[in-house]
Amino acid sequence: MASWYVAVILGIVEGLTEFLPVSSTGHLIITGHLLGFTGPKAESFEIIIQLGAILAVVALYWPRFTGLLKTNPEQRFSGTYGLWLLFLTSLPASVLGLLTHKYIKMYLFSPFTVACALAVGAIMIFVVEGMKKEEHTTTLDEITPKQALGIGLFQCLALWPGFSRSAATIMGGMLLGARRTVAAEYSFIAAVPIMFAATGYDFLKNYKLFESADFIFLAVGFCISFIAAWIAVKTFIYLLGKLTLRPFAIYRLILVPLIFLFL
């Protein structure tokens, strides 16, 4: 495996970008190429350390997740109803991901495809932010099954590395009538089941790539991504109360020519 500092850098990149609409997978692919950390083992490492970022969201929204264990009359997004919403959101990308996993890793894990996805996602952000939308969903408890499934369909766009799962689901939520901050919070919570499934599936398929010494490397990346994601999520929600998604779209467009220049 590579030197420990590679795990630290990739952990920071993963944690900071996982829940921002800029694509953590895209940033990890680009950073991996810059660090010379590429290949099947590197690709699996980049997916597995997402678990650290996922657990940061579980910790931050712990009351919401424990609320899924029992129906709360004061919170509609709880119990079996809340689980049903998360199932609807996770279903489309889970099915499509299982069918296309092999081809995605074969053809879409490159700086060029990431750059294209960053550009397309940025353009879509500008389009969505420019549309007039009625924000009739102002809390998580107002999310409907129709919205949950619609957000899940948008989440399929994130199977293209570089597009950003966060961008896809937040834009989907906004188009379906959710306030920007609500769409972001639902995006974070809905990420947990599908990302647990994705990391678990990848690890079961590729754990033989790793030797016992590699697990220290994985642990470093995992812990760093947890800390970085905790900071990123708290900051992002604060900023969304004051800003639109446009600054993230501009960042994506700035990044695209840099990718072609340096990779």
Side-chain angles (χ1 to χ4, degrees), residues 78-162:
S78 64
T80 53
Y81 183 78
L83 291 172
W84 173 239
L85 294 180
L86 293 178
F87 172 77
L88 289 174
T89 300
S90 302
L91 183 62
S94 296
V95 173
L96 187 60
L98 282 173
L99 294 175
T100 61
H101 180 265
K102 175 182 176 181
Y103 303 100
I104 289 171
K105 293 194 79 170
M106 188 180 300
Y107 297 113
L108 296 182
F109 272 70
S110 72
F112 175 76
T113 56
V114 166
C116 293
L118 284 167
V120 171
I123 294 167
M124 286 187 64
I125 288 173
F126 282 121
V127 171
V128 171
E129 285 288 4
M131 295 173 65
K132 291 184 178 180
K133 301 172 290 295
E134 182 184 350
E135 296 181 349
H136 51 75
T137 302
T138 58
T139 69
L140 284 173
D141 295 312
E142 295 173 358
I143 297 286
T144 66
K146 181 179 178 181
Q147 287 174 316
L149 181 59
I151 291 169
L153 292 171
F154 271 91
Q155 188 166 231
C156 292
L157 291 169
L159 294 172
W160 181 5

Side-chain angles (χ1 to χ4, degrees), residues 9-85:
I9 293 171
L10 292 175
I12 292 172
V13 171
E14 160 60 25
L16 291 180
T17 60
E18 181 60 56
F19 298 103
L20 302 183
V22 296
S23 177
S24 62
T25 302
H27 278 73
L28 287 171
I29 291 170
I30 294 164
T31 306
H33 274 75
L34 288 172
L35 295 172
F37 184 59
T38 58
K41 186 182 286 190
E43 291 170 5
S44 290
F45 169 80
E46 290 163 2
I47 292 172
I48 292 167
I49 64 169
Q50 290 178 341
L51 186 58
I54 299 169
L55 291 180
V57 167
V58 173
L60 284 167
Y61 290 91
W62 184 248
R64 281 293 184 179
F65 284 102
T66 55
L68 295 172
L69 302 176
K70 185 179 180 180
T71 300
N72 183 346
E74 297 180 0
Q75 289 185 332
R76 196 172 182 220
F77 184 69
S78 64
T80 53
Y81 183 78
L83 291 172
W84 173 239
L85 294 180

